[in-house]
């Protein structure tokens, strides 16, 4: 069974997609069959990797296409499922189709393809989409940067989401991104 990793952040621009891509690439370099799934309607993963985003996870969850029609091979043992171009047109519906049971069935179908890791890159913010992914994940990576705005948005997430789902604390790790070594102090 594949290990499910969700990379998320309450704020955009913190490097979440870059971390998801680099993590997936690192698994590929260790000969682990890895699938990177872009759930952000902006399709930044497919844009960065220069692959088509015509079809994607939105089409899979809406039962419009099967898994073999939406995933793309990037390198040996590294595959991507874009969000899909329809994700932008169906932004409200896109969030609603990330229902936990449907997502679990999709993950089960993907896991049967022999993946060692499935890495989900999420859009910024916390909503029903990220909540469903979090509940199905083996590991949750929350990315923020050392700025007051990023930190305060994480504190809101911690107060509202983690209190309701306290069991997640063991599976969640924080990544402080864009931190320069000369900015670290003992009181950080």
């Amino acid at each position: 069974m594949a290990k499910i990793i969700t990379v998320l952040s309450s704020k955009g621009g913190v490097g979440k997609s870059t971390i998801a891509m680099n993590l997936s690439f690192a698994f590929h370099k260790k000969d682990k069959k890895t699938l990177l799934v872009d759930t952000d309607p902006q399709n930044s993963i497919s844009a960065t990797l220069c692959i088509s985003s015509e079809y994607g996870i939105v089409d899979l969850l809406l039962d419009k296409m099967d898994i073999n029609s939406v995933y793309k091979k990037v390198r040996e043992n590294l595959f991507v499922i874009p969000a899909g171009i329809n994700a932008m047109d169906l932004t409200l519906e896109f969030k609603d189709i990330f229902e936990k049971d449907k997502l679990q069935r999709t993950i089960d179908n993907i896991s049967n393809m022999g993946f060692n890791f499935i890495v989900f890159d999420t859009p910024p913010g916390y909503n029903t989409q990220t909540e469903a992914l979090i509940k199905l994940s083996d590991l949750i990576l929350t990315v923020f940067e050392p700025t007051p705005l990023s930190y305060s948005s994480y504190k809101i997430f911690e107060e509202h989401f983690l209190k309701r789902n306290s069991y997640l604390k063991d599976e969640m790790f924080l990544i402080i991104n864009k931190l320069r070594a000369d900015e670290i102090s003992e009181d950080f």
Side-chain angles (χ1 to χ4, degrees), residues 2-130:
K3 293 285 183 194
I4 311 299
I5 301 171
T6 297
V7 183
L8 54 89
S9 178
S10 57
K11 182 183 168 310
V14 297
K16 175 185 48 56
S17 297
T18 302
I19 287 171
M21 282 189 289
N22 286 337
L23 180 63
S24 299
F25 188 76
F27 289 142
H28 140 77
K29 294 294 281 180
K30 295 287 186 186
D31 291 323
K32 302 295 180 188
K33 189 174 179 184
T34 304
L35 177 66
L36 173 59
V37 182
D38 189 356
T39 66
D40 188 343
Q42 296 178 62
N43 284 288
S44 58
I45 298 288
S46 54
T48 302
L49 297 175
C50 299
I51 60 172
S52 171
S53 60
E54 185 175 358
Y55 302 108
I57 190 74
V58 67
D59 302 290
L60 195 59
L61 291 172
L62 289 171
D63 295 321
K64 291 183 176 181
M65 308 203 72
D66 68 356
I67 182 69
N68 294 316
S69 303
V70 296
Y71 83 104
K72 317 268 191 270
K73 183 176 182 178
V74 178
R75 293 211 158 108
E76 192 65 35
N77 287 325
L78 181 58
F79 300 83
V80 171
I81 295 180
I85 201 72
N86 290 327
M88 196 61 108
D89 295 334
L90 304 170
T91 302
L92 294 175
E93 295 90 340
F94 188 54
K95 289 179 184 174
D96 292 338
I97 62 172
F98 273 84
E99 188 265 322
K100 185 179 176 239
D101 292 334
K102 182 173 226 161
L103 193 54
Q104 180 67 62
R105 283 191 303 276
T106 302
I107 289 171
D108 290 344
N109 288 338
I110 292 170
S111 290
N112 291 334
M113 298 174 71
F115 287 101
N116 299 105
F117 295 97
I118 302 172
V119 178
F120 285 94
D121 178 43
T122 63
Y126 303 107
N127 52 42
T128 54
Q129 176 182 341
T130 52

